[in-house]
């Protein structure tokens, strides 16, 4: 038995039984290995440590009322990891290896999948990094691909309740022609200082602005941004924004609900025209936003006047989580079952 309060889990690390690993050496990927150790032995000259050859994914497995374990759109994560690997010249894990790894690690840790109705899920972290040694600035010859899991609760302690975020103009998350569209650790390292400052000043996250013109919305901390205007679902489009699988799913749901979907540059000035705004991603699903404060100018944009998430955000959230937990029909064929 596991002594965990499933309904009060934070979004943090909790040791589980096993993780899985595969190594790319001598021009080929090795067989999947199972380990109970939380540690990896790595060469001190590994490119991951010196030149940032590292990428990761975030996924969740859900337990339905029927007791079956569901995995959400894993193929999209496999393809995005390949894109990230290609972007920083790492060896791409084959989709077949990715599939074997994520299904195996869930099966090995079934007892850590939170019960249905707790609002919690089993979080999967596929990780790829350059393990081979290089002193010159070159890609590695060897790579490690691994997946570990941990049960988690909501990313923001507020859960599906409106939060406040802060516009930060004096920090850039990434740059045009850089790595913003890839899920690599350097993007997150660049966001840490602005995020910690915002938290200390009473905000849940940061809204980054494009680094070139300082005019257009980039990402909402570790998540994509969206806004609702009339019957339109609007989300920023830029070469610096990570293609969120959650956002992609929300766009498909919005279109299915008869809404017009727009992916385009969204200026800060347009924030005044939205009826609802939110951040979306695997960790938070949707985090509705009640106010956005520009740290430089003091200008404030307010939403959720009654203190609750807007009707469109609420409907989208319920539909998406309903599909993930098996409470709603999966008409899009997004769910795979882990037996």
């Amino acid at each position: 038995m596991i002594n965990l309060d499933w309904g009060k889990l934070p979004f943090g690390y909790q040791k589980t039984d096993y993780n899985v690993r595969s190594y790319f050496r001598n021009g080929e990927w090795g067989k999947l290995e199972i380990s109970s150790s939380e540690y990896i032995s790595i060469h001190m000259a590994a490119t991951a440590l010196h030149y940032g050859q590292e990428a990761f994914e975030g996924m969740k497995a859900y337990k339905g009322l029927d007791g079956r374990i569901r995995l959400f759109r894993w193929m999209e994560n496999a393809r995005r990891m390949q894109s990230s690997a290609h972007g920083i010249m790492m060896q791409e894990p084959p989709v077949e290896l990715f599939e074997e790894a994520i299904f195996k690690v869930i099966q090995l840790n079934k007892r850590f999948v939170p019960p249905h109705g707790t609002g919690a899920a089993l979080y999967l972290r596929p990780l790829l990094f350059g393990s081979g040694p290089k002193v010159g600035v070159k890609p590695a010859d060897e790579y490690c691909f691994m997946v570990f899991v941990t049960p988690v609760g909501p990313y923001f302690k507020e859960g599906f309740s409106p939060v406040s975020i802060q516009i930060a103009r004096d920090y850039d998350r990434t740059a045009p022609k850089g790595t913003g569209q890839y899920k690599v650790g350097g993007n997150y390292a660049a966001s840490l200082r602005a995020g910690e400052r915002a938290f200390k000043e009473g905000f849940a996250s940061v809204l980054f602005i494009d680094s070139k013109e300082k005019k257009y919305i980039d990402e909402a901390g570790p998540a994509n941004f969206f806004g609702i205007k009339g019957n339109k679902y609007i989300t920023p489009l830029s070469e610096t924004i990570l293609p969120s699988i959650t956002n992609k799913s929300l766009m498909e749901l919005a279109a299915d609900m008869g809404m017009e979907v727009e992916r385009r540059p969204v200026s800060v000035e347009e924030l005044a025209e939205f009826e609802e705004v939110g951040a979306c991603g695997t960790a938070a699903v949707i985090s509705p936003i009640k106010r956005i404060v520009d740290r430089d100018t003091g200008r404030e944009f307010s939403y959720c006047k009654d203190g609750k998430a807007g009707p469109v955000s609420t409907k989208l959230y319920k539909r998406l989580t309903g599909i993930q937990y098996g409470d709603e029909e999966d008409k899009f064929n997004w769910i795979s079952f882990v037996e």
Side-chain angles (χ1 to χ4, degrees):
M1 294 293 292
I2 302 174
N3 187 24
L4 289 175
D5 189 343
W6 300 109
K8 294 183 179 179
L9 284 177
F11 192 90
Y13 178 75
Q14 165 76 40
K15 187 181 185 309
T16 53
D17 292 333
Y18 300 101
N19 58 78
V20 295
R21 312 170 182 193
S22 176
Y23 296 90
F24 181 85
R25 294 174 177 144
N26 302 316
E28 63 180 9
W29 285 100
K31 290 184 177 180
L32 204 63
E33 302 174 8
I34 299 171
S35 175
S36 60
S37 173
E38 298 175 274
Y39 298 93
I40 299 174
S41 177
I42 185 171
H43 196 288
M44 62 184 177
T47 61
L49 300 177
H50 298 269
Y51 307 124
Q53 275 200 299
E54 180 275 344
F56 67 96
E57 280 297 318
M59 313 166 62
K60 286 180 179 179
Y62 311 82
K63 184 172 287 186
L65 189 60
D66 56 6
R68 301 184 74 185
I69 299 172
R70 292 159 167 81
L71 193 55
F72 182 72
R73 305 195 79 172
W74 67 266
M75 182 69 81
E76 297 290 340
N77 293 94
R79 290 171 178 154
R80 191 169 66 180
M81 173 160 272
Q82 288 185 328
S83 173
S84 296
H86 179 79
I88 58 173
M89 295 192 71
M90 293 195 293
Q91 187 66 35
E92 300 174 22
V95 170
E96 296 78 13
L97 175 62
F98 191 97
E99 179 182 12
E100 181 186 3
I102 59 174
F103 278 79
K104 175 65 71 174
V105 78
I106 295 171
Q107 290 165 347
L108 291 168
N109 294 283
K110 277 187 176 181
R111 70 194 190 102
F112 288 95
V113 182
H116 181 271
T118 60
L122 185 71
Y123 183 79
L124 284 74
R125 174 55 61 87
L127 174 67
L128 174 68
F129 63 90
S131 54
K134 291 287 182 181
V135 175
V137 184
K138 296 179 180 180
D141 297 317
E142 297 181 359
Y143 295 89
C144 175
F145 168 64
M146 68 176 300
V147 186
F148 67 85
V149 300
T150 186
V152 298
Y155 186 80
F156 294 114
K157 67 180 187 299
E158 294 88 351
F160 187 66
S161 296
V163 299
S164 297
I165 66 173
Q166 181 186 73
I167 295 174
R169 298 175 182 273
D170 53 343
Y171 288 100
D172 293 327
R173 171 187 158 271
T174 185
K177 309 299 180 184
T179 59
Q181 71 272 40
Y182 307 126
K183 199 168 178 65
V184 298
N187 298 337
Y188 296 83
S191 73
L192 289 176
R193 190 169 292 278
E196 284 298 301
R197 183 183 65 184
F199 182 75
K200 290 177 181 178
E201 294 179 358
F203 297 89
S205 190
V206 171
L207 187 62
F208 289 100
I209 308 302
D210 78 284
S211 60
K212 186 177 181 179
E213 299 183 58
K214 293 295 182 182
K215 177 181 178 181
Y216 297 100
I217 294 170
D218 189 78
E219 286 205 353
N224 276 193
F225 176 89
F226 71 88
I228 306 299
K229 185 191 298 185
N231 197 43
K232 293 182 179 180
Y233 180 100
I234 302 169
T235 191
L237 175 64
S238 144
E239 62 186 350
T240 63
I241 294 175
L242 180 73
S244 163
I245 296 162
T246 302
N247 197 8
K248 179 179 181 179
S249 304
L250 291 173
M251 285 187 270
E252 292 179 48
L253 284 173
D256 187 64
M257 289 161 47
M259 299 185 70
E260 184 179 346
V261 176
E262 294 183 359
R263 291 187 69 204
R264 57 172 173 76
V266 178
S267 71
V268 173
E269 292 302 311
E270 195 172 353
L271 289 173
E273 301 173 18
F274 290 124
E275 293 135 33
E276 302 176 36
V277 296
C280 60
T282 298
V285 186
I286 290 179
S287 183
I289 297 170
K290 62 183 176 184
R291 68 186 185 116
I292 301 173
V293 178
D294 190 324
R295 192 174 188 275
D296 281 7
T297 66
R299 187 179 181 186
E300 182 170 326
F301 304 90
S302 297
Y303 313 92
C304 306
K305 300 274 191 304
D306 59 357
K308 298 179 181 179
V312 177
S313 299
T314 300
K315 186 173 182 179
L316 287 168
Y317 177 83
K318 288 183 176 179
R319 283 200 66 187
L320 183 54
T321 55
I323 292 171
Q324 290 171 334
Y325 284 100
D327 299 325
E328 182 165 326
E329 179 190 1
D330 176 26
K331 63 185 293 186
F332 302 96
N333 294 315
W334 288 340
I335 297 298
S336 300
F337 293 96
V338 181
E339 304 300 345

